[in-house]
Amino acid sequence: MISKYSVRRPFTVVVAVILVLLLGFVSFTNMKTDLFPSMNLPYMVIVTTYIGATPEKVETGVTRPIEQAVASTSGVENVTSTSSENSSIVVVEFADGTNMDSALLEISGNIDRVKARLDDGVGDPSIIRINPDMLPILVASVDQDGRDLASLSAFVSTELTPQLES
């Protein structure tokens, strides 16, 4: 059936093939390559420094007040924290589908209210939205016997890095 139509109407078949090839070429040239798809992870990290403080002092003076402030944010599912010497890290997990822009504003407001109660010497808390695009694709170290640091750095920046990028 198709072969009879092709023989009877060759011009229509040629036009159809040209259109398919043209649309394929246009689609191929407009296609974007993306190593990582765009993802919206429902996590935020709050990092606060407290220079010269022990982990216990960071826990009571920084981590607990920040945890209490962010726990009241709408959409929060889980709050985990790590208090170490000189710093506090609070990770906030939100429910899927949470509007992260409004959650960021809400957390920022909650932390601003807590700042006045924090001990003297505590740095300003930094709120970081977790985004896979900010993660490196490759982390590597290079060493070669017989080369000093300056020549090895020059080799990596002029020869090795362009080859890896290509």
Side-chain angles (χ1 to χ4, degrees):
M1 172 126 183
I2 295 175
S3 58
K4 288 182 185 180
Y5 183 79
S6 301
V7 170
R8 276 193 248 145
R9 301 186 191 274
F11 181 72
T12 306
V13 173
V14 168
V15 169
V17 168
I18 290 172
L19 279 175
V20 168
L21 291 174
L22 184 65
L23 288 174
F25 177 75
V26 169
S27 298
F28 182 74
T29 57
N30 290 332
M31 192 181 323
K32 295 179 184 174
T33 56
D34 194 3
L35 296 176
F36 292 112
S38 181
M39 295 171 48
N40 186 14
L41 296 178
Y43 290 93
M44 282 192 205
V45 178
I46 301 152
V47 180
T48 311
T49 58
Y50 191 0
I51 304 300
T54 63
E56 293 82 17
K57 194 168 184 180
V58 171
E59 173 78 25
T60 58
V62 180
T63 304
R64 283 191 187 145
I66 289 177
E67 281 180 340
Q68 292 168 355
V70 299
S72 64
T73 305
S74 59
V76 171
E77 281 193 351
N78 193 17
V79 178
T80 57
S81 63
T82 303
S83 297
S84 59
E85 193 170 329
N86 301 325
S87 68
S88 165
I89 299 173
V90 178
V91 179
V92 184
E93 178 184 354
F94 291 90
D96 285 335
T98 302
N99 184 344
M100 295 304 287
D101 293 328
S102 64
L104 178 66
L105 291 173
E106 192 174 345
I107 281 185
S108 180
N110 291 344
I111 289 177
D112 284 343
R113 282 187 227 109
V114 162
K115 274 187 197 177
R117 295 186 318 202
L118 297 178
D119 295 342
D120 291 336
V122 175
D124 284 339
S126 300
I127 304 170
I128 304 166
R129 281 179 58 178
I130 299 296
N131 184 356
D133 293 336
M134 69 186 204
L135 301 173
I137 295 172
L138 174 70
V139 177
S141 69
V142 177
D143 188 21
Q144 186 177 16
D145 290 335
R147 277 208 174 172
D148 64 340
L149 185 61
S151 67
L152 187 61
S153 295
F155 168 75
V156 167
S157 63
T158 59
E159 294 183 36
L160 189 60
T161 302
Q163 289 178 4
L164 286 175
E165 286 176 345
S166 67

